[in-house]
Amino acid sequence: MIADALRTRYGVARGAARLCAILLAAAVLVLTPVTATAEDDPPTRADVYGALGLAEQSADYVVLVDVSGSMAKDGLYDSVRSTLRSFLQGMSPRDHVALFTFDAKTRPRYVGPARPVDKIVAALPDSPTPGGDTDIGEALNSALTQLETSGSAPVASVVLLTDGEHAPADGSHYPKNTGAPWDALHRRAEALAKGTDLSGYALPLRTDVTGAALLGTVVPATTVLKPDGIGDLRGYLAQATARTQARKAATLLADDIGKGVTATWTGPPQLDLTDGPVTGRITLTSADRHVPLTVTGVTASLDGTGSDIELTVTPDRLTLKPGASHTLDVRIDGSLPAGWNPARHTEDVEAELEIGGTVTSSWAKPLASQVDLRVPTRVRTTDGDTVRVSRTVGNPLVLPVAAALAVLVVLVLGLRWLRTNRPRLHGDLLLQPAFGQQIPDQIALRGRRVRLRPAGVGGHGRVHGRRQRADGERRLDLVISYSPDGTAGRTSDATCRPDGQVVVNGVTFTYRAPTGGVGRQGRPKGAER
């Protein structure tokens, strides 16, 4: 009845204590500025525990004290009572203690918070039970029942202090130190260990007995502390407290293992290097909830630009508080290749951001023997984090000069074509029927093209010139198109050399070139300008 009453009363108290601890931790996180800090002095383990707020984290202790008759010898029981006081004082005020004594029976002496210590120690009997037996199995059963019914904390410890062997009274559920009852205890401990960090600490109070080691057959994670004498008991119990503190820390830090620092590009999304260096930003974010992380040698580069673009990060060293982010300036300088196009244009590439840096924690060394933080040593970059880089390159005069040259070339080619295929005409063209003695029509050749409308022979046509080179000399031929009735269907073409004749559609065309031929400018040789 007393055990049930105590469990009910202190179960409520423990729940309220946990809620207060959670609210306090949340307030600390909210009020802590998320800025980079520099650490000058490396922290001690006590500093780390203080930063973690282990004093606000509860642990369950079930302490089993042997009060059988043999504990009265050599003042052993009195030494245990005084040593328990210092052991309890080393606990956190928020820890939960269940104190049991056992001989032939197991009795709950105190169940509640670890303070006040005097109240807990006073709950122990003044002396051992004269002639009492030692039922370690029943004591371990009570310890597991306490942890099962109280809703154990994330860290729980069973501490067993005994000076004898397992020697139960008749009718005990654990008549031997092996068998089905002990197997059942082991399975219950394994089930508890799935939801809490359960460990055992066994202290044999005499060197010639082995009963304390039975705790290891029930709780797998048991350490048997073997003091050389009763004078060493205080130090060994302190080890149990220290190891429980370390397990508290390990439980809190479990979520931080392997997380580290992530880097992201936070702007601008487009970098224009036309006018020289520009400034960008990267943000380093700690994914850890508890561990401060230091990043040194922060570097950044852009992969895929095809040229040397230098990125300089300032500062290159900073310490991030748990869960904090810090934005760093990045100076970007360089150029993009102009490629095959020498004209003024804008080169634009999408480059993948790569950020380097070594990540460490000042907590790693003081916690090395207890918790492997496994901090990722490199900064992680967000997958697919890219930056667009542009720069206006090339000579601004290339396009105007190229356009002017193109116009000039077209002009030269056009003039050359005109000079060859449409030269100025000189001389006369005579038209008369191929058969007959009709007086010929005489048409003066002027300009680059002449329309033919002969009154005598009739019909329509046109004439233009074409320069030719033959036998080492230049000449101007006439290209004649003529239709006797003016229709396109009866049009025929012919070429007539200077002072030559051709017949087109029954009409003789006679080309009378100027005397002396035609010069380079299309004028008759010897003609005045």
Side-chain angles (χ1 to χ4, degrees), residues 262-266 269 301-303 350-355 380-388:
T262 301
T264 54
W265 180 262
T266 52
S301 61
L302 294 175
D303 185 23
E350 187 173 64
E352 184 175 353
L353 178 67
E354 294 183 357
I355 299 174
R380 295 172 177 168
T381 305
T382 306
D383 292 339
D385 206 353
T386 59
V387 181
R388 297 202 68 84

Side-chain angles (χ1 to χ4, degrees), residues 259-264 283-287 320 325 355 378-382:
K259 288 187 176 179
V261 176
T262 301
T264 54
T283 298
L284 301 182
T285 301
S286 170
L320 291 170
S325 296
I355 299 174
R378 306 301 300 172
V379 174
R380 295 172 177 168
T381 305
T382 306

Side-chain angles (χ1 to χ4, degrees), residues 47 174 374:
D47 293 334
Y174 305 91
R374 285 178 281 174

